[in-house]
Amino acid sequence: QKYLVKSKDTIPFGSSYKAAVAFENITDIDMDSILVKFTVKDASNKITVAYKRFAPLPGNQFIVVDFEYVFNQISNQGVNTIIFEVNPDNDQVEKQHFNNFAIFTVILEKDILNPIMDVTFDGRHITDGEIISPKPEILINLKDENKNLALNDTSLFKLYITTPNSTTPISLDPRSSDFSFIPADPAKLDVENVAKLFYRPSLLEDGTYELRVQGADRSLNDAGTNDYRVQFKIDTRPAISNFINYPNPFSTATQF
């Protein structure tokens, strides 16, 4: 009745939840600075506890106790509980404690939408079996619709390469020197949530390679049911690999 403000009970995954409620000193005796214990129990019953001190509370007055929490863990998906406990463990002497609690229920919607992944070689999409540069710039572009969970971790990418003389895929580490990572800008998530991973290998062995890539968002939704796979060839011998006329089609003349 004195004061109560809170976010919606159901929020998207990765959102912050805010709640504020009045706590009144119903005696004539002044209280010192008020200690509040905040307990968050997530959907898997994991407990997180935080403490915060608020201003002193004179007799017959009230203060507003507020709390904000970001629900961005997989274990938060489902029903969560936030408990406010004022003056825990008898921090200040009190006759009764049963009315020092406020409980809020927060339902976190599951993020089930897949991110979108795009792979280009030197700025273009290649066909399967195409010849490419032995030192290409391969860009893996990952985009997610979630405006609360920035794509900011290289662990969201899984990459494997098969070389000409091996049939066993080699796992690639996006933290190695062959890679550079540009995370999503947290200040621009309302506009776009995009991460870019650049892979710049030196492929000096001639023959056929295969690259396999998978990306995921922070909710661990894969970009696709199947990994992106493409085969490409490296041929370091001087040669003309594409012999194309232009313009094509033509009416009276063309050039090769």
Side-chain angles (χ1 to χ4, degrees), residues 118-127 130-140 197-203 211 228 230 232-234:
D118 186 53
V119 182
T120 56
F121 290 70
D122 291 323
R124 62 188 185 86
H125 301 100
I126 66 169
T127 57
E130 188 172 328
I131 296 176
I132 69 165
S133 163
K135 294 185 178 182
E137 180 180 81
I138 302 171
L139 169 61
I140 299 99
L197 182 66
F198 291 90
Y199 176 36
R200 300 181 180 92
S202 293
L203 307 172
L211 180 68
Y228 167 84
V230 65
F232 54 87
K233 295 179 181 178
I234 299 297

Side-chain angles (χ1 to χ4, degrees), residues 26-44:
I26 59 174
T27 75
D28 296 328
I29 303 170
D30 295 342
M31 297 185 73
D32 204 342
S33 56
I34 302 297
L35 180 66
V36 182
K37 176 183 178 181
F38 302 100
T39 302
V40 179
K41 184 172 73 172
D42 68 18
S44 63

Side-chain angles (χ1 to χ4, degrees), residues 10-30:
T10 301
I11 60 175
F13 183 55
S15 300
S16 63
Y17 181 86
K18 299 178 181 179
V21 63
F23 178 70
E24 184 178 11
N25 182 353
I26 59 174
T27 75
D28 296 328
I29 303 170
D30 295 342

Side-chain angles (χ1 to χ4, degrees), residues 9 42-43 74-80 105-110:
D9 294 335
D42 68 18
I74 299 299
S75 59
N76 292 135
Q77 296 186 86
V79 180
N80 302 264
T105 299
V106 186
I107 300 173
L108 203 66
E109 295 176 330
K110 292 185 177 181

Side-chain angles (χ1 to χ4, degrees), residues 50-199:
Y51 292 85
K52 182 180 177 181
R53 280 205 178 271
F54 291 82
L57 179 55
N60 299 310
Q61 300 292 319
F62 74 89
I63 60 171
V64 174
V65 175
D66 64 298
F67 184 65
E68 180 176 2
Y69 189 82
V70 179
F71 289 94
N72 59 3
Q73 303 297 318
I74 299 299
S75 59
N76 292 135
Q77 296 186 86
V79 180
N80 302 264
T81 304
I82 301 178
I83 303 171
F84 289 26
E85 182 185 357
V86 182
N87 198 35
D89 303 319
N90 215 27
D91 185 62
Q92 299 183 63
V93 177
E94 231 184 331
K95 284 189 175 182
Q96 303 291 343
H97 193 71
F98 72 93
N99 55 356
N100 288 21
F101 294 87
I103 301 175
F104 302 90
T105 299
V106 186
I107 300 173
L108 203 66
E109 295 176 330
K110 292 185 177 181
D111 179 2
I112 59 174
L113 294 180
N114 305 86
I116 298 171
M117 187 177 71
D118 186 53
V119 182
T120 56
F121 290 70
D122 291 323
R124 62 188 185 86
H125 301 100
I126 66 169
T127 57
D128 205 49
E130 188 172 328
I131 296 176
I132 69 165
S133 163
K135 294 185 178 182
E137 180 180 81
I138 302 171
L139 169 61
I140 299 99
N141 196 79
L142 192 63
K143 181 179 181 180
D144 192 35
E145 92 294 337
N146 195 308
K147 300 184 183 303
N148 299 303
L149 298 175
L151 301 173
N152 58 7
D153 193 341
T154 56
S155 66
L156 300 174
F157 297 87
K158 305 296 181 186
L159 301 98
Y160 304 87
I161 193 167
T162 304
T163 60
N165 292 324
S166 175
T167 58
T168 303
I170 301 169
S171 177
L172 300 173
D173 185 356
R175 298 168 297 177
S176 70
S177 59
D178 286 339
F179 290 86
S180 59
F181 179 59
I182 302 176
D185 186 343
K188 297 181 180 179
L189 293 183
D190 286 340
V191 179
E192 64 175 9
N193 185 4
V194 176
K196 298 179 185 293
L197 182 66
F198 291 90
Y199 176 36

